[in-house]
Amino acid sequence: MIDIYILLAVLAFGFLIFIHEFGHFITAKMCGVRVNEFALGMGPAIFRFTKGETVYALRILPIGGFCAMEGEDRESADPKAFGSKNVWKRILIVVAGSAMNLLAGVLLLAVFLAPTERWVTPTVSEIVPEIMGESGILPGDTFISIDGYRIHLANDIVTALQIGTDAPYYDLKLKRGDETVELEDVKFELHEYERDGKTVQNYGVLFETEESTFFGKLKLIFQNAYNLVRMVKLGLVQLLTGQAGMQDMAGPIGIGKIMVETAQTSLFSLLFLVAFISINLGIMNLLPIPALDGGRLLFLLLELIRGKPISAKYEGYVHAAGMILLMGFMVFVAFQDVWKLIFA
């Protein structure tokens, strides 16, 4: 059965790459830009055909893809070249890949959450007296924030407790009726206790559930999408501040392993993971790093400000240097992924 899970992981990863590159492709076509090749995968082509002015290819390594546009990396006299289009069309083409990833993430979340009949809200239904009786939290209180981390969903509470800087003590902001109540140094620790004849483990605060409605579910979808964006932002901040290291990063191999493990647990869990990765890819590709879409977008924004483009030659040098560094980084991460597979 493991082969099926590997196939699912490869298809899911290929889907994420396809929708990203398709975003560039279809927008380029709509803007009148010649696409020389649209490829899924990297390395030698195992299948290709030509239709119109574009070569469509499937390549052997399922770790990437590309949409090669005329005049994208060098000057071209072709009237259908990327560089011949006005700056707004070029910006639209560059951001279209990430936009497709973000849209796909939201749609996958919609499928994931569609069967949900009830969900847990951040409104307190009950306090376990022996655990949180002196905390100041009352039934009916709705969590607004924990240590400044905004609470939208009940799951946000767990995230906020995990990233708190003074655990197990936290500063809370609660909505109590029409008032906002602030509590300082509230202690949150997991406890085991008996409830209805069963041993349960929680923080001593129980939450209300809400029945699913169409508009409620729509709100839930976008709240979850926003939370995934916050998780990406949090990961970047932790990486830049040293709270997370290179050992915490994963490349295509590591992501594939996680997908296989998740698929073995539940197909719906895989769906949620693919939604998260899709949103992650959408955001990461827009970072202002040379060779990524965000690096190209930065040059286009500079052109918009200056009123004239930066020399294609110099921009090419920057992207080439960025590509070399990016490839080196990918090789390092891939080596790390393989090392974990063998020795973890």
Side-chain angles (χ1 to χ4, degrees):
M1 288 295 289
I2 188 68
D3 291 341
I4 294 176
Y5 299 125
I6 292 173
L7 179 61
L8 281 173
V10 170
L11 289 174
F13 196 70
F15 168 74
L16 295 177
I17 296 167
F18 172 77
I19 58 170
H20 181 90
E21 298 304 335
F22 181 75
H24 292 310
F25 171 81
I26 195 65
T27 310
K29 289 286 191 179
M30 291 171 64
C31 291
V33 174
R34 181 190 301 277
V35 178
N36 293 326
E37 183 173 354
F38 179 80
L40 186 61
M42 304 295 283
I46 55 177
F47 173 75
R48 68 169 65 192
F49 68 93
T50 302
K51 185 175 180 181
E53 60 191 16
T54 305
V55 175
Y56 299 86
L58 180 64
R59 294 175 178 266
I60 195 166
L61 299 176
I63 57 171
F66 59 87
C67 173
M69 293 174 280
E70 177 66 27
E72 182 181 6
D73 295 312
R74 60 182 184 275
E75 293 183 2
S76 172
D78 191 325
K80 298 181 74 175
F82 176 79
S84 70
K85 305 303 175 183
N86 69 56
V87 67
W88 286 110
K89 285 186 177 181
R90 283 178 281 143
I91 288 175
L92 193 62
I93 293 168
V94 166
V95 302
S98 289
M100 285 291 283
N101 278 129
L102 295 173
L103 176 61
V106 172
L107 293 177
L108 288 169
L109 282 175
V111 175
F112 174 77
L113 295 168
T116 306
E117 296 180 356
R118 299 189 69 88
W119 57 79
V120 182
T121 73
T123 299
V124 179
S125 64
E126 185 182 340
I127 296 293
V128 181
E130 60 269 29
I131 299 176
M132 298 294 284
E134 303 298 322
S135 66
I137 303 172
L138 300 177
D141 288 351
T142 299
F143 278 71
I144 296 174
S145 67
I146 299 177
D147 282 353
Y149 188 83
R150 187 74 168 85
I151 305 300
H152 298 283
L153 302 167
N155 288 343
D156 296 342
I157 295 171
V158 177
T159 302
L161 296 179
Q162 289 174 341
I163 65 174
T165 55
D166 194 27
Y169 297 95
Y170 303 87
D171 295 335
L172 312 183
K173 186 178 287 187
L174 308 168
K175 183 181 180 183
R176 182 174 296 166
D178 295 328
E179 298 181 343
T180 297
V181 178
E182 296 187 15
L183 303 176
E184 295 183 351
D185 295 330
V186 178
K187 189 175 182 180
F188 275 88
E189 284 187 315
L190 283 171
H191 289 80
E192 280 191 0
Y193 61 95
E194 293 294 321
R195 182 180 178 86
D196 299 329
K198 297 179 181 180
T199 300
V200 296
Q201 186 181 61
N202 64 36
Y203 294 97
V205 182
L206 306 177
F207 295 94
E208 295 180 359
T209 62
E210 184 176 309
E211 190 173 352
S212 174
T213 64
F214 174 78
F215 290 106
K217 195 170 290 186
L218 204 59
K219 180 181 177 181
L220 185 66
I221 290 166
F222 285 101
Q223 284 178 328
N224 273 275
Y226 174 71
N227 272 357
L228 293 184
V229 172
R230 285 204 297 177
M231 287 176 65
V232 176
K233 177 186 173 184
L234 180 62
L236 285 171
V237 170
Q238 290 179 333
L239 190 63
L240 293 173
T241 57
Q243 297 175 58
M246 296 293 289
Q247 70 277 4
D248 300 309
M249 301 189 70
I253 297 171
I255 292 171
K257 178 177 179 289
I258 294 169
M259 283 182 169
V260 170
E261 292 171 349
T262 305
Q264 290 175 301
T265 304
S266 161
L267 289 181
F268 268 94
S269 297
L270 177 62
L271 199 64
F272 186 84
L273 176 63
V274 174
F276 171 64
I277 295 172
S278 189
I279 289 173
N280 193 314
L281 283 174
I283 295 170
M284 296 297 286
N285 263 289
L286 287 179
L287 293 178
I289 298 172
L292 293 183
D293 293 339
R296 296 184 182 279
L297 180 60
L298 179 61
F299 276 94
L300 290 170
L301 293 176
L302 288 173
E303 177 182 340
L304 200 61
I305 295 168
R306 295 172 74 239
K308 60 180 180 179
I310 292 172
S311 169
K313 179 176 70 173
Y314 295 122
E315 182 179 348
Y317 289 157
V318 172
H319 290 314
M323 181 59 73
I324 292 170
L325 291 173
L326 186 62
M327 292 302 293
F329 175 73
M330 288 178 67
V331 168
F332 172 79
V333 174
F335 175 80
Q336 183 174 264
D337 287 344
V338 173
W339 183 271
K340 289 178 182 176
L341 278 175
I342 297 172
F343 299 103

